[in-house]
Amino acid sequence: MSIEKKYVQIVSELTDIAKKRTREERYTALGFTSNLDLLCDFSTEKLSSLLEQYLPNGKLEEMKAAKLITCIEELLETMVFFCRSGIGGEVDITGTEVMKDTFRWTNGMGGTGVQAAMALQRIGCPSLVHLTDDSGEVCKLLDLPGIYVASSEGKLIGTKAVKQTQEQEVHAIVQFRKGDVIRLGEQEVTIPTSNRLILTKITVNETVPFYKPFFDYIADEGRHVSSYVLSSFNCLQQKKVLADRLQKAKESIMAYHRANPAGVVFFEDAHYHNKEIREMCMNQLYPEVDIVSLNEEELAYTLESYGMELDLEDAESLVRGIEALRKKFSMKKGMIVHTKDFSAYIGERLDTDIEAGLICGNLLATAKAMNGWYGTMEQIEALLQYPLSEKGMAFRKRAAEASWGQDVIIVPTRYVDRPPYTIGLGDSFVAGVQMCF
């Protein structure tokens, strides 16, 4: 079957798959952090106006990102730097008062696990989430049919019944779009790539407190958990705290596999601010989980840190790099890399259709990119009108014809050159992949 036909088939089956999972009480368990996102109504016109007001003598090409944003001038310069470079990233901010007189901000959900839960809920799939920020605002956003937390009695309940125990954490999200122009006097800068900047004020996720009932449910009722997604260890900066969380996570993985030997443990890796933290996570988690997933920037950075170069324009380079990591860390099954042009699985054959999972992941991520919120079935069906990425198709063809492509599955995305939104795409991708487990 051609990949185009398989996309059509998967879209036609999604609703029935979701209904079956609900009927069979099969949940995806999603950890570990949550926070309140403030979503910025960003425009380069407004940014240009603010620059004229606060930095009339500034030089756009010389503006740098602050290490810690303490005032509106540092905020504006940081925005210009990320827009000008077309890169994504995170910068700490002293508090939301710095942003008060800039753009309009609206509430959204932050955290890989909870965002994935919302993406799954939108297409009718149930999930179990682990909360760190359990504030009223977060629980209100998650108060939807099919999103559950574990109670201290071992039951699944909605977030409406949760009583806040942790301090709220706020992240501010700024999305910028390829081709938009920033102006200051006679100066102009064109944004080269759509991406996002995250402004963080860390509170509860400095320690990522683990909620015991979540882990108890997975250990006791693991037969109902089709896959177990780990994420967010990159939030931790204290090695002692990280070591404790990693040990508990490994114990939870073992308990899950005892309860459900066929269950899949899926680790969505991330960007790390600290090399030692990254190495601790990789050394302890990569050999323990079934599948490691990350984006191309994270893959390139990881390979570079081990003296390996990645050519993102060469399919063989990508596969060879992942194979080197699989060997180095004695990974159990395989790795997934997701990009704007394709997603790929490199590893052992699985007892499931991972290609279908990659298609679902691509669809949910692209729906989020096009609509700014988690995609409905109607919005996902509409994506079939978009062409498959030429780069993704070329990579798929190259792998199919090459000797090194035997254990490689590459799925091109429905390509969108200038996505209006860039937040939560990886989280939505993770959600979609879980549909095949």
Side-chain angles (χ1 to χ4, degrees), residues 9 92 131 133 145 150 178-179 227 266 312 328 337 374 403 405 417:
Q9 176 188 319
D92 290 336
L131 302 181
D133 177 346
K178 175 181 176 180
S227 61
F266 188 103
L312 286 169
K328 177 177 178 59
V337 60
Y374 312 95
S403 59
D417 182 48

Side-chain angles (χ1 to χ4, degrees), residues 28-32 113-114 116-117 120 127-130 214 228-229 430 434:
T28 299
L30 297 157
F32 288 108
V114 287
L120 287 172
S127 62
L128 165 67
V129 297
H130 179 280
F214 175 87
Y228 182 7
V229 177
V430 169
Q434 308 313 306

Side-chain angles (χ1 to χ4, degrees), residues 361-429:
N362 290 348
L363 287 167
L364 266 61
T366 305
K368 184 73 160 61
M370 291 300 295
N371 299 286
W373 202 246
Y374 312 95
T376 64
M377 277 307 309
E378 291 76 14
Q379 290 167 339
I380 289 168
E381 288 171 8
L383 297 178
L384 295 177
Q385 68 183 294
Y386 290 93
L388 293 169
S389 162
E390 291 182 5
K391 179 177 177 179
M393 287 295 288
F395 270 38
R396 181 179 173 87
K397 184 173 184 292
R398 176 91 172 90
E401 295 171 347
S403 59
W404 48 261
Q406 186 175 2
D407 297 319
V408 179
I409 298 172
I410 295 178
V411 177
T413 60
R414 315 304 299 202
Y415 186 72
V416 180
D417 182 48
R418 295 180 64 197
Y421 305 95
T422 56
I423 294 298
L425 308 192
D427 306 329
S428 294
F429 172 82

Side-chain angles (χ1 to χ4, degrees), residues 131-135 163-169 204 207 209:
L131 302 181
T132 47
D133 177 346
D134 54 3
S135 63
K163 302 226 182 311
Q164 183 172 351
T165 60
Q166 304 292 341
E167 185 177 356
Q168 184 177 76
E169 179 164 320
V204 64
T207 58

Side-chain angles (χ1 to χ4, degrees), residues 186-203:
E186 299 297 316
Q187 306 169 73
E188 287 190 359
V189 166
T190 301
I191 299 174
T193 308
S194 297
N195 221 314
R196 85 285 183 274
L197 165 65
I198 304 176
L199 310 172
T200 56
K201 177 72 168 72
I202 303 298
T203 58

Side-chain angles (χ1 to χ4, degrees), residues 137-383:
E137 289 86 349
V138 163
C139 289
K140 183 178 180 180
L141 286 166
L142 289 169
D143 182 24
L144 298 165
I147 296 181
Y148 300 100
V149 293
S151 72
S152 55
E153 291 79 29
K155 305 294 185 184
L156 295 185
I157 59 173
T159 58
K160 189 175 184 179
V162 172
K163 302 226 182 311
Q164 183 172 351
T165 60
Q166 304 292 341
E167 185 177 356
Q168 184 177 76
E169 179 164 320
V170 176
H171 296 183
I173 314 295
V174 181
Q175 301 179 96
F176 47 89
R177 193 162 63 174
K178 175 181 176 180
D180 287 352
V181 180
I182 303 168
R183 295 180 172 85
L184 178 57
E186 299 297 316
Q187 306 169 73
E188 287 190 359
V189 166
T190 301
I191 299 174
T193 308
S194 297
N195 221 314
R196 85 285 183 274
L197 165 65
I198 304 176
L199 310 172
T200 56
K201 177 72 168 72
I202 303 298
T203 58
V204 64
N205 291 328
E206 185 174 14
T207 58
V208 188
F210 277 178
Y211 181 61
K212 188 174 181 294
F214 175 87
F215 298 96
D216 288 346
Y217 185 89
I218 289 170
D220 297 338
E221 304 292 340
R223 67 189 184 281
H224 289 298
V225 178
S226 54
S227 61
Y228 182 7
V229 177
L230 285 64
S231 68
S232 308
F233 292 98
N234 60 314
C235 295
L236 294 161
Q237 299 303 306
Q238 301 172 48
K239 286 190 283 186
K240 184 177 179 181
V241 176
L242 175 62
D244 174 77
R245 303 299 183 267
L246 289 171
Q247 180 58 36
K248 287 178 179 173
K250 289 192 290 185
E251 291 169 1
S252 180
I253 290 169
M254 289 189 288
Y256 172 55
H257 275 151
R258 285 194 296 270
N260 185 358
V264 174
V265 180
F266 188 103
F267 176 40
E268 178 66 11
D269 212 347
H271 171 75
Y272 293 84
H273 300 283
N274 183 302
K275 182 180 178 182
E276 290 180 279
I277 296 296
R278 177 172 55 83
E279 290 179 348
M280 282 181 68
C281 290
M282 293 175 69
N283 287 331
Q284 296 201 42
L285 288 179
Y286 276 25
E288 300 294 330
V289 304
D290 297 305
I291 296 174
V292 173
S293 169
L294 70 183
N295 68 32
E296 74 274 33
E297 292 175 353
E298 292 154 0
L299 175 62
Y301 180 72
T302 298
L303 289 170
E304 182 183 326
S305 69
Y306 289 106
M308 295 177 273
E309 290 188 4
L310 174 64
D311 181 357
L312 286 169
E313 300 305 314
D314 179 40
E316 183 175 1
S317 173
L318 180 91
V319 173
R320 297 295 188 199
I322 287 178
E323 288 289 9
L325 289 177
R326 288 186 62 221
K327 183 177 180 181
K328 177 177 178 59
F329 292 100
S330 303
M331 293 186 190
K332 289 186 174 178
K333 298 292 184 183
M335 288 189 76
I336 288 174
V337 60
H338 45 93
T339 81
K340 66 182 177 63
D341 289 284
F342 64 89
S343 58
Y345 171 79
I346 296 96
E348 297 179 8
R349 291 187 181 275
L350 303 172
D351 295 330
T352 188
D353 187 354
I354 191 64
E355 184 175 71
L358 296 178
I359 289 172
C360 289
N362 290 348
L363 287 167
L364 266 61
T366 305
K368 184 73 160 61
M370 291 300 295
N371 299 286
W373 202 246
Y374 312 95
T376 64
M377 277 307 309
E378 291 76 14
Q379 290 167 339
I380 289 168
E381 288 171 8
L383 297 178

